[in-house]
Every structure is written in structure tokens, then in C-alpha cells.
């Protein structure tokens, strides 16, 4: 993988198709270093997803779609008209990149279905157009989510968010931060509190960087400061994104989200989940069926490259948790809002039957 600083880093362009390559803003080193990684192969794309160069459920899906374009180009060069058969192994490789965010599998399935519909000799232009459609549709979905979510918020208020569910985590604009952007533009938000989000620090490194670039007032806090913030009585909403929403409305998101939802219910703070319908997985009945990624213990035992825990120490590192639907006040999607989600309401929304 080649790196470049020639492209200008902007939260809305963390995933870029440029000069027949996929460029990913390397989120491991933000905000200190604004560098892009160039991916020329599906293998490089899959590895970048595993290594968290690109992260956040919808952004992973968009990057994966471009990865399929890279695979098709290589297979067409090697096998000509026979490119279709070997690409299946590439799709399966891509699906190994990370286990929890369903947008990865959603994007692979969409590209697989599109491949089946192709009769072109050279598949690359058509597949690139499909990947770009996935990318553009995600941005449009986030803008709609932003408007619908902002309509639920009463001014003036403050927001707490966890991890990064912003432009960096999506095709652009953001889900939770899309709601923040829209509500801020309407003058409804005075300040956003960003949990730092141990161990990867997506809140302090990415959310703070992204909101500051957009001129939205943001204050970073340690994850364990959330209870005292809510006890203070001035927080209006907790707003988060999601990596996978089960058929019954249970929400899987960054580790620590469940604790926030429990606290929010205790202190009477509203809890909103902002996510596109590509994050809803009707094939899993409840959150208990969602595979939770476990990453290396080293990520917990070290910080900023410096080992903090004793050498022989062990550590747990589940990187997502599941918030039961009963603790969620609203799931906001581009197709409408589900208040007090349950299985029937999720089914209704996905059937296109939502009247919001
Ligand atoms: O491990 P990450 O950084 O990929 O986790 C990201 C999150 O948990 C986000 O909140 C989620 O993907 C929603 S992004 C719009």
C-alpha cells in the first residue's frame, strides 16, 4: 500500500476513487497526520478495513464496493471473459475483513447481485458506476437522516455522542453527526460532548477533529464522565450510530453504547440511533445473534503506541455491544423514524410502510 499526502484531507472525502485507485484517509493517525493510503487491489482494501485505516459501518461498505471494482479489474486482466468465476473468492475474502458491521456484507451482496446482472465484456466501468451509486446514496441517506433526526430535537440543547458516526465513518455527512450537523444549522445545538471512546479514541481523535473542522462546538470527555454529565440535568440527547440493527430493534454499536443507554434512561435523557437502512439486518432476530468483534488485547493495554499495562497482563477487548430496543427512544433512518422500536415497527419500515 502506498501512502500520499498530496490529497487534501477532509472529513467528507475519507473514501475517494481517484485516478483508478481507491484512496482511504488513514484514520489510524488522525488528527496528527493527514495521510491517504492508495489501494490498488482487493487484498489491500480488505487489509485496510481490518486494520481500521477506514472504519465506521457505512464507510466500510462504500470502501468494500470499490474493492470489488479493483478485484474485477484484476480478474478481467487475468481471465478475460472468464472473470466472473474467480471473483467469488475475492468477495469471500472481503467478507472476512471485519465481522460486525453489516454494511460490509450488504455492500458485497449488492455488488454480487450486480455482477450477476452484467453482460458487459469489461465489467469495470459498470461496477465502478455501481460503487459510486452506493457511495452517493449513502451521502443522500445521511442528509435525510440528518433532517429527520434534527426535527426531533428541541432547541437549545446539548448532545452526547460516542465513537465517530460522522462523515469519516460514512460516504459523507455522517449519521449521528449528520443529525448534529442539521440540528446545529437550525440553531438547536449549543455544544456536542464527545466521549473519547477507548481504546481506539474515535471520539477524541476523529469526532473532535471532524466537528472542529465544521465549526461545531465540541468538548471531549473521558468515557467515564458520561454519568456525571447526565446527572447535571442539562443534556438533551445521546445520539449514536450503529453497526447493525437486529430485526427486533436491538442496536449494536461501539463498546460503551449500552452503558450510555442505561444511564440515559436512568436520568431521563433521550437516546437516538441514527443509521441508514443498510445497517438493518432482518436476518438476525435479536442483538444476541450479532457477532461481536474481539480485537487484540494490546489495543487495551497500550495507548498511543505506549504500553501501559504490565507485560503479562491479559485484557478483554470486545469492540461492540448491544443496546436492547427497549432503551432506544428513536431509530432514525432515511426511510423514516421508528419511535420506541420493536420488531413490528422495524418490519413495517423495511417494507416501506412507515408514515413518518
Ligand atoms: O470500530 P469502528 O470505529 O469501525 O466502530 C464504528 C462505530 O461503532 C460507529 O458508531 C458505527 O459504525 C456507526 S458509523 C456511522
Amino acid at each position: 500500500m502506498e501512502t500520499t499526502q498530496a490529497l487534501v484531507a477532509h472529513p467528507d472525502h475519507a473514501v475517494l476513487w481517484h485516478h483508478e485507485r481507491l484512496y482511504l484517509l488513514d484514520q489510524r493517525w488522525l488528527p496528527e497526520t493527514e495521510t491517504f493510503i492508495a489501494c490498488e487491489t482487493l487484498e489491500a482494501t480488505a487489509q485496510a478495513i481490518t486494520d481500521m485505516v477506514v472504519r465506521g459501518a457505512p464507510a466500510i461498505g462504500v470502501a468494500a464496493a470499490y474493492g470489488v471494482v479493483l478485484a474485477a479489474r484484476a480478474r478481467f486482466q487475468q481471465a478475460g471473459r472468464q472473470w466472473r468465476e474467480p471473483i467469488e473468492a475475492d468477495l469471500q475474502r472481503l467478507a472476512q475483513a471485519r465481522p460486525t458491521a453489516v454494511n460490509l456484507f450488504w455492500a458485497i451482496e449488492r455488488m454480487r447481485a450486480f455482477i450477476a446482472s452484467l453482460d458487459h465484456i469489461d465489467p469495470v466501468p459498470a461496477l465502478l458506476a455501481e460503487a459510486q451509486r452506493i457511495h452517493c446514496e449513502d451521502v443522500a441517506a445521511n442528509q435525510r437522516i440528518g433532517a429527520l433526526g434534527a426535527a426531533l430535537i428541541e432547541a437549545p440543547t446539548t448532545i452526547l455522542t460516542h465513537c465517530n458516526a460522522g462523515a469519516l465513518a460514512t460516504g459523507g455527512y455522517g449519521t449521528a453527526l449528520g443529525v448534529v450537523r442539521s440540528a446545529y444549522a437550525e440553531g438547536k445545538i449549543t455544544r456536542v460532548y464527545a466521549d473519547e471512546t477507548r481504546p481506539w479514541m474515535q471520539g477524541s481523535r476523529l469526532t473532535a477533529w471532524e466537528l472542529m473542522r465544521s465549526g461545531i462546538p465540541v468538548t471531549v470527555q473521558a468515557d467515564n464522565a458520561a454519568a456525571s454529565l447526565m446527572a447535571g440535568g442539562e443534556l438533551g440527547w445521546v445520539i449514536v450510530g450503529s453497526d447493525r440493527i437486529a430485526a427486533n430493534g436491538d442496536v449494536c454499536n461501539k463498546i460503551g453504547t449500552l452503558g450510555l443507554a442505561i444511564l440515559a434512561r436512568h436520568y431521563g435523557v433521550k437516546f437516538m440511533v441514527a443509521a441508514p437502512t443498510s445497517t438493518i439486518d432482518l436476518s438476525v432476530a435479536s442483538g444476541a445473534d450479532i457477532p461481536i468483534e474481539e480485537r487484540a488485547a494490546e489495543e487495551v493495554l497500550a495507548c498511543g503506541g505506549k504500553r501501559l499495562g504490565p507485560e503479562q497482563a491479559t485484557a478483554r477487548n470486545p469492540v461492540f455491544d448491544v443496546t436492547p430496543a427497549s432503551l432506544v427512544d428513536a431509530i432514525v433512518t432515511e426511510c423514516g423514524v421508528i419511535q420506541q422500536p420493536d420488531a413490528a415497527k422495524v418490519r413495517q419500515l423495511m417494507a416501506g410502510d412507515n408514515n413518518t
Side-chain angles (χ1 to χ4, degrees):
M1 272 184 293
E2 194 186 305
T3 65
T4 179
Q5 285 177 312
L7 295 167
V8 178
H10 185 282
D12 264 324
H13 304 291
V15 180
L16 278 177
W17 183 265
H18 182 66
H19 288 167
E20 300 181 11
R21 289 161 151 196
L22 172 62
Y23 285 89
L24 300 171
L25 177 56
D26 193 339
Q27 300 192 30
R28 295 171 301 179
W29 314 122
L30 284 175
E32 199 179 351
T33 311
E34 300 179 0
T35 311
F36 284 83
I37 275 184
C39 298
E40 296 193 61
T41 63
L42 175 132
E43 182 54 37
T45 310
Q47 197 58 50
I49 292 171
T50 303
D51 293 346
M52 313 251 303
V53 172
V54 59
R55 33 66 49 203
I60 290 171
V62 171
Y66 287 119
V68 175
V69 179
L70 297 170
R73 185 170 69 197
R75 293 303 185 184
F76 184 66
Q77 278 166 4
Q78 290 158 5
R81 297 172 75 98
Q82 310 304 319
W83 63 272
R84 221 184 277 263
E85 200 181 309
I87 208 172
E88 185 49 38
D90 299 324
L91 301 185
Q92 285 173 21
R93 162 69 187 97
L94 198 52
Q96 304 300 315
R98 284 188 81 185
T100 303
V102 76
N103 310 62
L104 171 65
F105 311 105
W106 174 90
I108 293 172
E109 270 320 304
R110 182 154 154 184
M111 295 302 274
R112 182 182 274 123
F114 193 74
I115 285 169
S117 78
L118 283 181
D119 53 10
H120 298 71
I121 294 175
D122 178 355
V124 175
L127 282 170
L128 176 58
E130 180 68 353
Q132 285 168 331
R133 265 191 298 278
I134 287 174
H135 195 162
C136 291
E137 285 170 18
D138 186 61
V139 178
N142 293 337
Q143 286 165 344
R144 178 81 184 130
I145 288 167
L148 291 174
L152 300 176
I153 295 172
E154 282 178 23
T157 196
T158 57
I159 306 293
L160 172 63
T161 191
H162 191 66
C163 194
N164 172 266
L168 286 169
T170 62
Y173 201 70
T175 54
L177 296 192
V179 174
V180 164
R181 286 175 197 286
S182 298
Y184 184 75
E186 293 171 18
K188 292 180 167 178
I189 292 179
T190 53
R191 179 157 297 274
V192 177
Y193 292 93
D195 278 351
E196 61 181 357
T197 318
R198 281 277 296 147
W200 267 80
M201 303 293 195
Q202 289 95 332
S204 55
R205 294 190 304 105
L206 307 178
T207 296
W209 182 78
E210 178 173 336
L211 291 180
M212 286 171 74
R213 288 261 165 143
S214 300
I216 298 175
V218 57
T219 297
V220 175
Q221 65 174 14
D223 297 324
N224 43 16
S228 73
L229 178 71
M230 291 195 213
E234 278 162 36
L235 190 71
W237 285 87
V238 175
I239 309 181
V240 294
S242 174
D243 292 84
R244 198 184 296 217
I245 298 173
N248 69 346
D250 288 352
V251 171
C252 180
N253 191 49
K254 180 52 57 192
I255 191 78
T257 303
L258 169 61
L260 292 179
I262 294 168
L263 287 171
R265 183 56 53 92
H266 181 81
Y267 285 110
V269 174
K270 296 280 191 194
F271 190 87
M272 183 193 302
V273 177
T277 49
S278 55
T279 302
I280 298 179
D281 184 358
L282 294 181
S283 77
V284 296
S286 78
D289 302 324
I290 297 175
I292 302 294
E293 179 180 9
E294 287 261 354
R295 293 183 68 91
E298 190 55 27
E299 292 180 355
V300 172
L301 294 169
C303 192
K306 183 174 174 355
R307 173 91 186 190
L308 300 177
E311 274 317 313
Q312 303 307 322
T314 58
R316 265 183 86 228
N317 190 13
V319 301
F320 300 104
D321 58 25
V322 173
T323 298
S326 59
L327 293 179
V328 176
D329 290 296
I331 295 176
V332 180
T333 76
E334 78 281 16
C335 295
V337 177
I338 308 175
Q339 311 253 17
Q340 274 69 53
D342 60 24
K345 292 178 190 173
V346 172
R347 210 169 33 244
Q348 220 176 352
L349 178 106
M350 293 303 273
D353 226 7
N354 191 283
N355 49 17
T356 313

